[in-house]
Amino acid sequence: LFFLGTAFSIVFIRKTFCGKKSGKVNKMSCPPKFILYSKLYITTLLASALLGMTTGLLVYYWPQDPQFAHCSKSLDLGGIVGNLIIGDVNIARNIHLTLYNPNHRDMNFKETLGAIEYKGEQFGTFLVPKFTAESRTLMDGVMDVDFTLLEDESLLQMARDYSENDLTLTVRMDID
């Protein structure tokens, strides 16, 4: 429709300026400047259309980061901190995660190992299995996490931060 409208407008302009009102367009009667201007007009319209389509495709297919949500009500950080305080060396927990892939293409993830840290000290590890997140879908999964004993002073500080609702954990993982 865009190209058809452009063609009709060029024919109308040429008939108006270069030809007789009821006859065919006579190339010899068109001034050279007008022919140059009409070619520039067509080129500008085509370039604008191409730029618009390219921009639209880039916006539509531009990659976005996946969104993760922790949806496990069974992960009790207070229980983990309490178990670590009484001396349990290793604690295994399942964490339920939801992943949303907002992209228009599937995302493939390799198997990767991650770590959970408290103030720079690692106290938990987890393994994310190899999977494919389909485009524009939600995906649920279970991840096994192994927590290990921290140093005494870090453990007490972690318990204090938890009781004050100020516990901050860092999750590190490399995703390709």
Side-chain angles (χ1 to χ4, degrees), residues 32-42:
K33 272 188 174 179
F34 175 76
I35 293 173
L36 176 66
Y37 290 148
S38 65
K39 287 181 181 178
L40 287 175
Y41 176 72
I42 291 172

Side-chain angles (χ1 to χ4, degrees), residues 30-163:
C30 286
K33 272 188 174 179
F34 175 76
I35 293 173
L36 176 66
Y37 290 148
S38 65
K39 287 181 181 178
L40 287 175
Y41 176 72
I42 291 172
T43 304
T44 303
L45 286 176
L46 292 176
S48 299
L50 182 64
L51 182 65
M53 288 187 289
T54 304
T55 302
L57 287 173
L58 282 175
V59 167
Y60 187 74
Y61 285 106
W62 192 260
Q64 300 174 15
D65 291 335
Q67 299 170 5
F68 293 94
H70 171 269
C71 55
S72 177
K73 299 198 187 308
S74 66
L75 179 64
D76 177 21
L77 289 176
I80 292 172
V81 171
N83 284 351
L84 290 174
I85 287 176
I86 61 171
D88 284 346
V89 177
N90 292 319
I91 303 167
R93 292 282 193 256
N94 291 333
I95 298 178
H96 299 270
L97 294 174
T98 299
L99 168 76
Y100 173 65
N101 179 8
N103 297 302
H104 296 278
R105 301 196 63 195
D106 293 348
M107 295 177 75
N108 296 318
F109 291 88
K110 296 189 304 187
E111 182 177 82
T112 187
L113 186 65
I116 300 174
E117 298 175 353
Y118 173 71
K119 294 191 176 182
E121 187 177 349
Q122 179 178 325
F123 78 101
T125 59
F126 57 91
L127 180 69
V128 178
K130 178 181 174 180
F131 68 96
T132 299
E134 295 180 10
S135 65
R136 319 262 316 149
T137 59
L138 286 172
M139 184 175 172
D140 293 324
V142 177
M143 188 170 54
D144 295 324
V145 180
D146 294 319
F147 295 100
T148 56
L149 188 62
L150 287 168
E151 297 293 324
D152 288 340
E153 55 194 49
S154 296
L155 188 59
L156 292 174
Q157 181 63 40
M158 186 170 152
R160 196 173 304 122
D161 288 346
Y162 178 76
S163 67

